[in-house]
């Protein structure tokens, strides 16, 4: 019986969409928090936001957008039965994820280097509200980073499953759901970018 | 072969079961144990009030006790209770399916539940003392206290995960796996209530999840999101907390209403009055219920407009609940009522829930709220709703479905006796609390003033009767489990799908998936039973 359930294409999609709703609400809570904190400290947020590197943020946006394109193409490829191309595109998506994480690592590293990290001395010395801005920055981009990591692992697994034909032209819902997940990660980043990098 | 028959592997075959019925029983077992632990703690707290001053336990222990009592009752009993136990067991059967949409995910939810429960217990014995914040984990205290709050909060997070997965599974199952012919308007109303609940679980639980994570992060990194000294705001915590926790009240009560809606037609031999009104009022409660959270914060310092709006919305949410009560009453009207134990408990639900609801509406009024905030009135109110409501619905569900689940019949006399004890004890305990609250007795207080003493004695005596009633009720179930006579397939003359299959149900519920041709409550006078 569970076999039959697993072949329920619609069911799988509904399940995935519901899961995405929950993820969105998870970040929704943080967006409420951000809105509240910003309303309390408009100037501090403005000031602190200047210190984030817009080029690095934009670079990561480009990476994610490109990867979303890759994964969409990977799904089309497997629909058309082009296994090789689909493996390649899925692999490329995962690589973009990894690249995003490296870039994020560099960015965080730079901040750490200047003593800007949770509980760090430089942060404690900041005027009221600025420390909070960076705190939220670490929490929200950190949580997003965890999602990127999860997505990257997921897509890597998908590439393997594609190669082993466990995901195939007549049964590709796993890849499709992974793609949906990846789009979510992308969309959330689109919100984070203006909130943190472009808020100045 | 019934789902209860040994399938090799003993205990292992239960712990790896993906059958929704077995998973339902896994929840039931664990939950009953925790419920009784928390009842024991509740009674201990009441014992303390046999003296107004220092007595029996220390003040710090008292703080830990009401925290643990609250955490267990809320996160381990009333929130998961009906969906996880009876939803799992009966929802697929009620819609004519063989299982839920994602059976393995269902088992995973149980493991999250068990893990969360274990962590909650661990938080009592590790770290620097059991958490003492109350189940609401309010900042700034939850961040400043040295006790083991992080682990307790993490436990609640894991339990939330379990709740989300259950909701996700149920919604998908209800969308995809209804038997042929079972249109939305032929679905039993318990299923409707689970559907509405599923949406609340999926949409609001993540918010408490992230809020709890923030508490942990604050404890470790002092980021200051809730700390005015750093630019944060403690009231923000309360908003985020109640954005979940008020709707969570409906996760507790909507399935309870669903159960009652199954029981009343069966024992009145009548179709439910106002099927669609009941179905849609579940959805309405879920919707409106998500917009009233800040009525918990009238005294926390919000803008006056916010106070006003939330007060108004709170009145509105009472409407769909009232609709249900009217529909139940109309169903009873001129029915041929059989006062079986399940029915008796169901009717007590209506009575107790009405008191809980009315005292809730009272608090929705700003002025009254300011007077009653954080008094025993609140404690009385929420026990009427959660215990008198969800708790009694849980017992009613057990009494109604026990023969089906286990294929055994319990003795009705002890069930009636238990009811008498519980009903009297309950009102002695909690009605007295309502009175104490209006007199000014604050909640969560270790000591009390002499003028409150007599009332405290009454409440404490009530807690003994109540606990005795619970022991009789569950003792009766245990006895029936081992010694009960065999139950028939349909002891109550019910006509929803679960009564058409043997007791206990066979492994895959239906030998052949039924085709549905009529609504679920088509009782008619000519029908036997
Ligand atoms: C025999 C059963 C019970 C007894 C004797 C009992 C007694 C108590 C007492 C004495 C308190 C502390 C009040 C205060 O000092 O503020 C309390 C709090 C509470 N109870 Fe119960 N209770 C029982 C059952 C339940 C049930 C079934 C539920 C939920 C379904 C529940 C939920 C709560 C909650 C949420 C709190 C608040 C804890 C807090 O303040 O953080 N109780 N109960
Ligand atoms: Cu509320």
């Amino acid at each position: 019986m569970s076999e039959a359930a697993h072949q329920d294409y619609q069911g799988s999609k509904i399940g995935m969409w519901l899961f995405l709703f929950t993820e969105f609400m998870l970040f929704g809570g943080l967006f409420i928090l951000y809105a509240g904190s910003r309303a309390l400290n408009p100037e501090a947020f403005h000031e602190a936001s200047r210190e984030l590197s817009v080029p690095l943020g934009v670079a990561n946006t480009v990476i994610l957008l490109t990867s979303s394109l890759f994964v969409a193409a990977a799904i089309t490829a497997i629909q058309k039965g082009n296994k090789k191309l689909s493996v390649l595109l899925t692999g490329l998506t995962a690589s973009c994820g990894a690249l995003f994480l490296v870039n994020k690592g560099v960015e965080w590293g730079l901040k750490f280097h200047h003593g800007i990290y949770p509980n760090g001395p430089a942060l404690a010395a900041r005027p009221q509200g600025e420390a909070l801005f960076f705190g939220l920055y670490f929490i929200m981009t950190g949580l997003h980073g965890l999602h990127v990591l999860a997505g990257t692992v997921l897509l890597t697994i998908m590439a393997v499953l594609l190669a082993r034909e466990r995901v195939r032209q007549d049964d590709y819902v796993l890849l499709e759901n992974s793609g949906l997940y990846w789009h979510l990660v992308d969309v959330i980043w689109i919100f984070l970018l203006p909130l943190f990098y472009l808020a100045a | 072969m019934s789902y209860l028959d040994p399938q090799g592997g003993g205990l292992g075959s239960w712990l790896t079961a993906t059958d929704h019925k077995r998973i339902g029983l896994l929840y039931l077992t664990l939950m009953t144990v925790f419920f009784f632990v928390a009842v024991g703690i509740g009674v201990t707290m009441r014992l303390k009030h046999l003296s107004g001053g220092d007595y029996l336990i220390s003040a710090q222990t008292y703080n830990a006790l009401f925290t643990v009592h609250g955490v267990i009752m809320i996160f381990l009993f009333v929130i998961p209770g009906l969906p996880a136990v009876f939803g799992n067991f009966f929802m697929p059967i009620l819609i004519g399916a063989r299982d839920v949409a994602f059976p393995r995910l269902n088992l995973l939810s149980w493991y999250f539940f068990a893990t969360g429960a274990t962590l909650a217990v661990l938080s009592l014995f590790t770290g620097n003392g059991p958490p003492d914040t109350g189940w609401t984990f309010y900042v700034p205290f939850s961040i400043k206290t040295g006790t083991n709050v992080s682990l307790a909060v993490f436990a609640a997070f894991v339990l939330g995960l379990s709740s989300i997965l259950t909701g996700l599974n149920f919604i998908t199952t209800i969308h995809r796996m209804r038997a042929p012919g079972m249109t939305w308007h032929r679905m039993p109303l318990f299923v409707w209530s689970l559907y509405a609940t599923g949406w609340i679980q999926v949409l609001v639980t993540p918010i408490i999840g992230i809020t709890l994570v923030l508490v942990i992060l604050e404890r470790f990194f002092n980021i200051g999101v809730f700390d005015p000294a750093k630019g944060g705001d403690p009231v923000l915590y309360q908003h985020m907390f109640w954005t979940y926790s008020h709707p969570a009240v409906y996760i507790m009560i909507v399935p309870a209403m669903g159960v009652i809606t199954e029981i009343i037609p069966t024992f009145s031999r009548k179709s439910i009055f106002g099927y669609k009104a009941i179905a849609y009022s579940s959805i309405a409660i879920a919707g409106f219920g998500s917009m009233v959270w800040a009525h918990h914060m009238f005294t926390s310092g919000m803008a006056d407009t916010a106070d006003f709006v939330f007060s108004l919305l709170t009145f509105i949410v009472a409407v769909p609940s009232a609709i249900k009560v009217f529909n139940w009453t109309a169903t009873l009207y001129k029915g041929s009522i059989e006062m079986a134990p399940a029915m008796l408990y169901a009717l007590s639900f209506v009575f107790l829930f009405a008191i809980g609801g009315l005292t809730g509406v009272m608090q929705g009024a700003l002025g009254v709220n300011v007077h009653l905030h954080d008094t025993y009135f609140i404690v009385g109110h929420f026990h009427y709703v959660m215990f008198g409501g969800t708790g009694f619905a849980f017992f009613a569900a057990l009494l109604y479905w026990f023969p089906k689940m286990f294929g055994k019949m319990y003795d009705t006399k002890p069930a009636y006796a238990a009811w008498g004890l519980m009903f009297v004890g309950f009102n002695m305990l909690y009605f007295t609390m309502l009175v104490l609250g209006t007199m000014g007795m604050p909640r969560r207080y270790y000591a009390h003033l002499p003028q409150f003493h007599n009332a405290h004695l009454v409440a404490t005596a009530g807690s003994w009767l109540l606990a005795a009633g619970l022991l009789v009720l569950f003792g009766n179930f245990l006895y029936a489990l081992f010694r009960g006579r065999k139950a028939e397939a349909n002891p109550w003359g019910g006509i929803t799908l679960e009564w058409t299959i043997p007791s206990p149900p066979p492994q895959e519920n239906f030998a052949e998936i039924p085709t549905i041709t009529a609504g679920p409550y088509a009782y008619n006078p000519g029908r036997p039973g």
Side-chain angles (χ1 to χ4, degrees):
Chain A
M1 78 204 142
S2 54
E3 295 311 313
H6 274 272
Q7 281 155 14
D8 180 7
Y9 174 80
Q10 288 289 335
S12 308
K13 293 282 278 212
I14 292 176
M16 190 62 198
W17 272 105
L18 289 170
F19 175 69
L20 294 183
F21 284 150
T22 70
E23 288 277 26
F24 217 81
M25 294 308 283
L26 187 80
F27 279 92
L30 287 174
F31 288 137
I32 299 175
L33 185 71
Y34 179 92
S37 309
R38 189 182 178 99
L40 288 170
N41 315 277
E43 266 111 62
F45 271 49
H46 184 84
E47 283 305 313
S49 149
R50 293 184 145 157
E51 287 171 53
L52 292 185
S53 159
V54 176
L56 285 180
V58 170
N60 258 350
T61 314
V62 174
I63 294 174
L64 273 191
L65 285 176
T66 317
S67 67
S68 262
L69 202 67
F70 284 149
V71 79
I75 295 166
T76 316
I78 197 66
Q79 278 171 338
K80 294 195 172 141
N82 193 339
K83 173 183 144 191
K84 267 202 184 131
L85 184 61
S86 190
V87 174
L88 176 73
L89 286 165
T90 309
L92 277 175
T93 317
S95 319
C96 284
L99 198 63
F100 179 97
L101 287 171
V102 170
N103 191 2
K104 184 101 271 160
V106 170
E107 200 187 333
W108 275 33
L110 285 173
K111 289 279 163 298
F112 281 17
H113 191 71
H114 292 108
I116 298 179
Y117 49 88
N119 251 347
L123 218 47
R126 294 270 179 153
Q128 193 191 38
E130 290 197 16
L132 186 56
F133 176 87
F134 285 109
L136 282 174
Y137 161 77
F138 283 116
I139 293 175
M140 290 172 79
T141 59
L143 189 67
H144 178 260
L146 281 179
H147 280 75
V148 175
L149 182 65
T152 306
V153 172
L154 193 65
L155 285 162
T156 313
I157 296 174
M158 285 309 129
V160 175
L161 291 187
L162 273 166
R164 291 195 188 157
E165 304 203 352
R166 290 269 306 282
V167 172
R168 319 174 287 272
Q169 185 174 14
D170 57 353
D171 181 12
Y172 54 85
V173 71
L174 280 178
L175 180 63
E176 226 183 345
N177 280 343
S178 311
L180 273 178
Y181 183 77
W182 194 250
H183 292 318
L184 170 96
V185 169
D186 191 5
V187 168
I188 288 174
W189 178 255
I190 302 286
F191 280 102
L192 292 181
L193 181 79
L195 289 186
F196 286 105
Y197 296 83
L198 310 178
Chain B
M1 187 155 112
S2 113
Y3 81 105
L4 283 173
D5 290 335
Q7 290 157 24
L11 188 63
S13 78
W14 280 86
L15 294 178
T16 54
T18 51
D19 181 347
H20 65 103
K21 300 183 285 305
R22 287 194 158 204
I23 294 176
L25 289 198
L26 286 177
Y27 275 109
L28 179 62
T29 316
L30 203 55
M31 210 172 274
T32 310
V33 171
F34 275 101
F35 175 71
F36 273 96
V37 170
V39 166
I41 295 174
V43 172
T44 313
M45 279 190 286
R46 284 315 315 166
L47 280 178
K48 191 267 134 225
H49 283 286
L50 284 177
S51 151
D54 208 2
Y55 177 65
L56 194 68
I57 49 179
S58 72
Q60 181 61 24
T61 309
Y62 190 82
N63 293 350
L65 288 185
F66 72 65
T67 304
V68 180
H69 172 80
V71 168
I72 296 182
M73 285 300 191
I74 300 271
F75 294 114
L76 289 168
F77 176 57
V78 278
I79 292 183
L82 288 156
V85 177
F86 299 101
N88 258 320
F89 199 107
F90 285 106
M91 186 270 283
I93 303 182
L94 285 169
I95 62 171
R98 295 217 150 98
D99 207 327
V100 291
F102 309 112
R104 271 175 291 169
L105 197 66
N106 204 12
L107 181 64
L108 183 68
S109 310
W110 183 78
Y111 274 99
F112 278 134
F113 180 78
T115 310
T118 313
L119 291 177
V121 173
L122 272 181
S123 79
L124 299 179
F125 303 108
T126 56
N128 298 320
D132 54 352
T133 58
W135 73 277
T136 48
F137 305 115
Y138 266 16
V139 302
F141 186 68
S142 60
I143 291 168
K144 300 275 188 271
T145 176
T147 56
N148 208 2
V149 171
S150 301
L151 193 60
V153 162
F154 185 62
F157 178 85
V158 177
L159 291 167
L161 227 55
S162 162
S163 179
I164 290 177
L165 293 183
T166 303
L168 186 157
N169 218 335
F170 283 10
I171 298 178
T172 313
T173 308
I174 294 170
H175 270 280
R176 298 297 304 162
M177 301 183 64
R178 280 170 288 137
M182 177 157 295
T183 57
W184 286 90
H185 287 154
R186 284 182 187 162
M187 242 165 43
L189 287 159
F190 180 50
V191 180
W192 267 101
S193 75
L194 289 172
Y195 183 70
T197 310
W199 279 104
I200 317 182
Q201 285 173 308
V202 166
L203 290 180
V204 298
T205 315
I207 300 185
I208 189 94
I210 195 67
T211 311
L212 296 174
V213 169
L214 286 167
V215 169
I216 299 180
L217 289 175
E218 282 300 296
R219 285 178 67 84
F220 284 111
F221 299 116
N222 294 311
I223 291 162
V225 286
F226 303 128
D227 180 0
K230 294 192 175 165
D233 183 1
V235 177
L236 220 51
Y237 172 86
Q238 297 188 18
H239 277 294
M240 295 175 74
F241 180 83
W242 288 109
T243 304
Y244 164 78
S245 295
H246 186 81
V249 172
Y250 299 108
I251 302 182
M252 306 170 201
I253 205 69
V254 170
M257 294 165 151
V259 167
I260 302 307
T261 311
E262 296 301 320
I263 294 175
I264 286 184
T266 300
F267 294 105
S268 320
R269 302 280 176 270
K270 269 179 72 187
S271 301
I272 190 83
F273 180 87
Y275 173 92
K276 286 190 189 169
I278 294 199
Y280 292 122
S281 62
S282 289
I283 308 284
I285 291 178
F288 285 121
S290 306
M291 299 191 288
V292 302
W293 73 88
H295 61 209
H296 296 268
M297 302 166 54
F298 289 149
T299 59
S300 305
M302 282 191 306
D304 289 346
T305 352
D307 283 346
F308 173 76
V309 170
F310 280 107
S311 183
L312 190 72
L313 285 170
T314 302
F315 288 121
I316 294 179
V317 81
V319 174
S321 307
I323 290 180
K324 290 196 199 265
V325 175
F326 289 133
N327 282 314
W328 292 326
T329 319
T331 307
L332 290 165
Y333 181 68
K334 289 195 174 162
S336 59
I337 294 172
E338 183 196 340
M339 206 43 92
M343 182 67 158
L344 183 62
Y345 282 73
L347 295 180
S348 320
F349 163 95
V350 180
F351 177 77
L352 298 173
F353 175 72
I355 297 184
L358 290 176
T359 50
V361 173
M362 282 167 71
Q363 290 165 60
L366 260 177
V368 181
N369 181 289
V370 172
H371 179 61
L372 295 173
H373 183 76
D374 264 350
T375 65
Y376 258 51
F377 190 87
I378 309 294
V379 185
H381 152 72
F382 69 64
H383 279 96
Y384 267 98
V385 175
M386 295 193 290
F387 193 177
T390 313
F392 268 69
F394 192 90
F395 307 144
L398 257 180
L399 288 162
Y400 185 53
W401 279 317
F402 187 93
K404 177 58 62 188
M405 295 169 82
F406 300 103
K408 293 285 173 64
M409 216 38 204
Y410 52 83
D411 204 350
T412 52
K413 278 204 200 81
Y416 288 121
W419 176 85
L421 286 168
M422 281 165 63
F423 195 76
V424 174
F426 186 99
N427 287 295
M428 270 171 76
L429 174 54
Y430 299 117
F431 199 82
T432 313
M433 285 199 184
L434 292 176
V435 177
L436 269 170
T438 51
M439 286 160 63
M441 171 75 205
R443 73 188 276 205
R444 293 184 178 172
Y445 268 36
Y446 171 71
H448 62 254
L449 295 171
Q451 66 263 38
F452 300 136
H453 193 62
N454 286 338
H456 273 291
L457 291 185
V458 174
T460 303
S463 76
W464 298 334
L465 291 183
L466 183 51
L470 284 169
L471 288 177
V472 174
L473 182 66
F474 280 85
N476 191 26
F477 284 139
L478 272 184
Y479 184 82
L481 213 50
F482 297 106
R483 293 278 155 77
R485 67 192 156 77
K486 205 172 154 7
E488 313 151 32
N490 188 3
W492 318 122
I495 56 176
T496 32
L497 282 178
E498 78 274 36
W499 306 112
T500 62
I501 58 175
S503 310
Q507 249 181 53
E508 299 209 325
N509 303 344
F510 301 95
E512 196 179 324
I513 296 288
T515 302
I516 313 300
T517 53
Y521 309 104
Y523 286 91
N524 53 51
R527 233 188 130 88

